[in-house]
Amino acid sequence: MDDYPLLNLFWTMMWMFLWVLWFFLLFKIITDIFRSHDMGGWGKAGWLIFVILLPYLGVLVYLIVRGRSMSHRDAEQAQQADAAFKDYIRKAAGTPDGGGSSAGGRSGGGIDELAKLAALKEQGALTEEEFRLAKQKLLA
């Protein structure tokens, strides 16, 4: 270790970082090629061969030609993931798409109705037994 200067260690770390960064960019582009809906199978195969056989030139040309649409596809995928997550939360919480109570059925008004029942009980308008029965009926 005595014959490896500190500056060489920093250079080695920098080149290692750039190497990892390059592979990250290469994998990002390969996933973008497969995710793209506006290209056919032959177009995807052509870009993939170009990126694999001539990696530096292929990645740079891909970024120049399709870089702007990459960000649009990333944003679209993020919006779809966010919408799917919000839909899952709505279904798990039992609320409808709008978030308010629905006119008919138990699809979302249950939480609001339960809060109203609790408020009526606190005000003294409902007895404990009436509250319990109404809550059971609402949750059934």
Side-chain angles (χ1 to χ4, degrees), residues 4-16:
Y4 200 69
L6 186 61
L7 185 60
N8 286 354
L9 179 68
F10 288 132
W11 276 109
T12 303
M13 289 174 56
M14 185 190 75
W15 284 113
M16 186 67 96

Side-chain angles (χ1 to χ4, degrees), residues 97-130:
D97 291 338
S101 63
S102 63
R106 188 192 150 236
S107 65
I111 296 171
D112 294 335
E113 292 296 322
L114 195 57
K116 289 177 186 176
L117 284 174
L120 286 173
K121 181 184 164 223
E122 287 176 7
Q123 293 172 357
L126 292 176
T127 65
E128 182 66 36
E129 181 65 25
E130 291 171 332

Side-chain angles (χ1 to χ4, degrees), residues 32 60-74:
D32 186 67
L60 292 177
V61 170
Y62 188 86
L63 287 175
I64 292 169
V65 173
R66 298 183 50 89
R68 183 176 302 244
S69 60
M70 268 179 76
S71 64
H72 292 300
R73 281 187 293 279
D74 281 343

Side-chain angles (χ1 to χ4, degrees), residues 12-122:
T12 303
M13 289 174 56
M14 185 190 75
W15 284 113
M16 186 67 96
F17 173 74
L18 290 174
W19 185 70
V20 169
L21 185 68
W22 176 256
F23 274 107
F24 175 76
L25 183 61
L26 183 67
F27 292 137
K28 176 78 173 159
I29 287 178
I30 289 173
T31 57
D32 186 67
I33 289 171
F34 286 111
R35 184 176 41 185
S36 178
H37 296 295
D38 59 342
M39 269 195 297
W42 288 107
K44 289 179 183 183
W47 274 112
L48 193 61
I49 289 171
F50 187 46
V51 165
I52 290 174
L53 291 181
L54 300 170
Y56 293 109
L57 182 64
V59 166
L60 292 177
V61 170
Y62 188 86
L63 287 175
I64 292 169
V65 173
R66 298 183 50 89
R68 183 176 302 244
S69 60
M70 268 179 76
S71 64
H72 292 300
R73 281 187 293 279
D74 281 343
E76 181 181 315
Q77 183 184 18
Q79 287 173 349
Q80 288 174 353
D82 187 49
F85 177 71
K86 286 180 181 179
D87 186 47
Y88 170 76
I89 294 296
R90 279 190 208 100
K91 286 179 183 176
T95 58
D97 291 338
S101 63
S102 63
R106 188 192 150 236
S107 65
I111 296 171
D112 294 335
E113 292 296 322
L114 195 57
K116 289 177 186 176
L117 284 174
L120 286 173
K121 181 184 164 223
E122 287 176 7

